[in-house]
Amino acid sequence: MDSETYRSKIIEYWSTAGLRSAEASSAGGDPDVAYLDHAIEERILAEILGGGTRMGRVLDVGAGYGRFTDVFLDRFARVCLLDAAPTMLRQLDSRWGGHERVVVSGEHFEAFDPGGAVDVVFASGVVYLYDDVMLERFFEKARDTLAPGGRIILRDFLCPVGKVIDSAAVAGGFCHYRSVAFWKTWCKNHGLTLVSWRRSKPHLRFLRRPRLLRALALARIKRLAIRSELCRLLAMSWGSWRLDSDDIHTVFLECCLDVRTGP
């Protein structure tokens, strides 16, 4: 399957499936657990981005419903949100299209003209579906788009041993769960430095057990309990942040443009 046909299949899937909720990163799952995951991931992304000066620009590739836009608006003067899936784009535009500091577009990233350099290119749940040819094009475009000293931040999936498996969502597609070693070499070969990698949320297997969720729902406390600030604090304190197993982990990867090579 050629890259353009495969890209069309990815877009078709997301346009048909949509997202479970405004805070969700997938079409399935429990919306209250997704809310908790999102609250944690917002905190982690904010830490990676650092203190906000509301200067500069960020480009969110495959923005979905724009779930990280509030974090970006606290830190950048201009936020560009891209999503090529028509259903996603309608939701994205209805939520953020009227904001004076937000640009919403349905163009593919590789074809999009941001009208100048950006400080951060961000993509969540995008490149794990890309083979190395598509990943090469993504990084070429990202490097050409970045301002000097700019960063690429990916919310992606990491597997210490590296795995490629059939995609359950995109017919004929694959999920590429890459390793830290892969990303270090990839960045080095593309004029970038892999600065950091960390779990985007802690391991909380107990909160994903259907029996527990049903019990909380029957007690009519599930939404209140899981969405509480106390639950978030407990999850961040007691959950496991380790990356030393052979499991697939959701992570934030931060790559910085090598100042010696420039954009």
Side-chain angles (χ1 to χ4, degrees):
M1 188 188 320
D2 65 84
S3 296
E4 289 307 311
T5 300
Y6 184 44
R7 187 200 307 277
S8 297
K9 284 180 171 287
I10 295 172
I11 292 170
E12 181 183 5
Y13 166 75
W14 283 116
S15 192
T16 301
L19 294 171
R20 185 73 169 86
S21 66
E23 297 83 19
S25 59
S26 67
D30 185 278
D32 295 316
V33 175
Y35 182 95
L36 174 63
D37 286 344
H38 174 64
I40 294 171
E41 289 187 324
E42 278 192 317
R43 297 292 181 99
I44 302 303
L45 179 58
E47 289 178 10
I48 294 169
L49 290 171
T53 59
R54 292 198 175 178
M55 297 176 64
R57 307 167 75 211
V58 59
L59 177 57
D60 185 351
V61 181
Y65 296 168
R67 74 186 187 100
F68 292 113
T69 305
D70 282 325
V71 176
F72 296 141
L73 285 170
D74 283 343
R75 286 159 178 80
F76 296 94
R78 197 74 166 170
V79 179
C80 299
L81 305 176
L82 306 187
D83 206 296
T87 303
M88 294 284 207
L89 181 62
R90 285 194 292 272
Q91 291 284 345
L92 189 63
D93 191 54
S94 68
R95 295 188 71 203
W96 298 106
H99 197 289
E100 62 181 1
R101 293 194 287 122
V102 175
V103 174
V104 175
S105 174
E107 286 192 77
H108 299 160
F109 172 51
E110 290 76 8
F112 179 69
D113 179 5
V118 304
D119 300 280
V120 172
V121 172
F122 177 82
S124 173
V126 174
V127 301
Y128 82 101
L129 290 171
Y130 287 5
D131 60 19
D132 286 359
V133 173
M134 296 177 72
L135 190 65
E136 180 79 34
R137 293 174 183 168
F138 177 93
F139 268 76
E140 284 180 359
K141 175 66 174 183
R143 287 190 73 253
D144 290 343
T145 303
L146 286 174
R151 293 183 284 173
I152 300 171
I153 299 176
L154 304 176
R155 178 189 171 276
D156 202 63
F157 300 96
L158 194 71
C159 181
V161 297
K163 291 180 182 179
V164 179
I165 64 174
D166 292 339
S167 171
V170 183
F174 297 92
C175 298
H176 300 261
Y177 301 121
R178 298 172 169 102
S179 66
V180 172
F182 171 91
W183 283 115
K184 285 182 177 179
T185 301
W186 184 271
C187 289
K188 182 178 179 181
N189 292 340
H190 290 80
L192 297 152
T193 301
L194 182 62
V195 176
S196 68
W197 58 95
R198 60 187 294 189
R199 291 187 71 123
S200 67
K201 55 192 175 185
H203 182 60
L204 296 168
R205 190 184 299 274
F206 69 94
L207 269 182
R208 303 181 197 283
R209 292 176 179 170
R211 186 175 298 176
L212 172 62
L213 294 175
R214 284 196 297 270
L216 291 173
L218 287 171
R220 297 186 178 183
I221 60 171
K222 180 169 78 74
R223 183 182 181 89
L224 179 63
I226 295 178
R227 294 185 179 228
S228 68
E229 179 69 4
L230 176 60
C231 187
R232 184 193 65 78
L233 291 171
L234 291 174
M236 293 188 72
S237 299
W238 292 355
S240 173
W241 294 91
R242 297 173 66 178
L243 283 168
D244 56 357
S245 72
D246 290 342
D247 293 336
I248 296 166
H249 309 284
T250 309
V251 298
F252 284 118
L253 295 157
E254 179 188 11
C255 317
C256 286
L257 192 63
D258 191 331
V259 295
R260 293 171 297 178
T261 59

